[in-house]
Amino acid sequence: MPLDRETYPGLYNALATPDTALELDDVADDVAAEQETLTSGSPEVPANSSASAGITDGLSSLQETLKHVSKGILDSTESEYKRLISNCDTFLKERGLLQDGESLFSRPPRREAAYLIVVWIMDACDSVKLDGTNKPSTDERGLYGHAQKMRAAMTYAFGHLQGLGNLPWHESELHSGQMLGNPSVSVEVSSYMCSLRRRKVQAGKVAVSACAITSVSTVFPSAAAPLIIAGPQCILERMYHFNHRPENWAILDYQPGGRGDGSINGSDNYQRLIMWLFVGNRFVEFSKQNTSD
């Protein structure tokens, strides 16, 4: 069944092109933040390798080992992601959007993969149905945090399990109609997540920031994805480098006097470093809670 506008008006309304600079910035920040959740794709064994079968088998085994040790999430989180991945395929088949024997997680991904991700999340978490009508207030729907977890499972499935990494979803400049990158790291999915967050806020739900503090920054701006001008440098990384400057790291004796010249009193370093320690510990605690949800 095609994803036509007449059958799924609610989907296309939710994916309406952002019409303000602020909304465009939100979408770009969301794409960049999603990139930060993954490292680049896992190494692959070439499909037409001329190596012997034994060497090829060895490379395949090495690839699987590297994929396992570099997954970057807890085993319990991976199990939950795989449950959601299976749930997504089942849902799309029940909707007639996939045939028996098909999977959303094919390689290369189908052209409409990003839209199918949105369909799955929208059905579970949105107050608007795919046909554009509002869901009854008695209908159960997931919170924004659950929508984020569903999206994270898709990013992990395509980026890590399929080895597509965190390259944003875009059309090839060399081959018309061929899509490249990770469908979950896309303008379509990010546009939807931003619009969903706004609706959750308007409904009085607590929305989790789409651009929270991160510990690493692995953003790759691409000419093929013009919305992504540059990724935000992670806050903890900036704090680390600022606090490790020689003039900020040394703990000096208190020196009374004003600071009209803009200088920093050496004793201020102690207070700032204590605050930095507090923020770092809170980030670690939050990360543990987030991965165990």
Side-chain angles (χ1 to χ4, degrees), residues 16-18 20-34 151 186-195 197-198 227-228:
T17 303
T20 68
L22 181 60
E23 290 176 346
L24 286 170
D25 287 344
D26 284 345
V27 172
D29 287 345
D30 188 85
V31 175
E34 196 65 20
R151 198 264 186 94
S186 62
V187 171
E188 293 83 0
V189 178
S190 286
S191 294
Y192 173 72
M193 294 299 291
C194 289
S195 68
R197 186 169 69 249
R198 287 192 293 271
L227 258 181
I228 306 172

Side-chain angles (χ1 to χ4, degrees), residues 113-215:
Y115 289 93
L116 293 175
I117 292 172
V118 173
V119 167
W120 176 56
I121 298 176
M122 186 174 182
D123 180 80
C125 302
D126 213 319
S127 59
V128 180
K129 294 182 180 181
L130 294 168
D131 62 6
T133 61
N134 292 325
K135 293 180 180 177
S137 58
T138 54
D139 280 11
E140 182 179 353
R141 48 184 178 270
L143 299 174
Y144 183 71
H146 184 65
Q148 287 184 305
K149 184 179 291 186
M150 295 171 73
R151 198 264 186 94
M154 298 296 96
T155 303
Y156 181 78
F158 286 107
H160 187 77
L161 299 181
Q162 296 296 322
L164 297 176
N166 60 4
L167 181 68
W169 185 242
H170 64 280
E171 186 171 357
S172 171
E173 296 179 343
L174 300 178
H175 304 285
S176 178
Q178 180 181 355
M179 300 300 293
L180 303 174
N182 188 327
S184 186
V185 185
S186 62
V187 171
E188 293 83 0
V189 178
S190 286
S191 294
Y192 173 72
M193 294 299 291
C194 289
S195 68
L196 175 64
R197 186 169 69 249
R198 287 192 293 271
R199 284 191 293 280
K200 292 291 188 182
V201 170
Q202 292 170 358
K205 305 296 183 180
V206 178
V208 181
S209 171
C211 190
I213 292 179
T214 56
S215 60

Side-chain angles (χ1 to χ4, degrees), residues 7-137:
T7 306
Y8 298 98
L11 170 66
Y12 286 91
N13 290 336
L15 290 175
T17 303
D19 55 3
T20 68
L22 181 60
E23 290 176 346
L24 286 170
D25 287 344
D26 284 345
V27 172
D29 287 345
D30 188 85
V31 175
E34 196 65 20
Q35 282 184 285
E36 293 182 5
T37 66
L38 282 175
T39 58
S40 57
S42 303
E44 302 178 33
V45 177
N48 297 321
S49 175
S50 59
S52 64
I55 295 178
T56 301
D57 291 342
L59 290 174
S60 299
S61 176
L62 176 61
Q63 180 186 6
E64 290 303 315
T65 300
L66 291 174
K67 182 182 293 186
H68 177 74
V69 300
S70 64
K71 61 185 180 181
I73 58 175
L74 299 175
D75 290 342
S76 58
T77 303
E78 183 181 41
S79 297
E80 175 64 9
Y81 283 175
K82 289 183 176 180
R83 184 190 68 81
L84 290 170
I85 291 167
S86 176
N87 175 274
C88 180
D89 263 348
T90 300
F91 167 80
L92 294 174
K93 290 175 182 176
E94 291 175 348
R95 282 277 178 171
L97 296 171
L98 289 178
Q99 301 297 321
D100 289 340
E102 290 184 332
S103 173
L104 172 62
F105 310 99
S106 58
R107 177 112 188 232
R110 59 190 66 230
R111 184 177 178 84
E112 67 276 14
Y115 289 93
L116 293 175
I117 292 172
V118 173
V119 167
W120 176 56
I121 298 176
M122 186 174 182
D123 180 80
C125 302
D126 213 319
S127 59
V128 180
K129 294 182 180 181
L130 294 168
D131 62 6
T133 61
N134 292 325
K135 293 180 180 177
S137 58

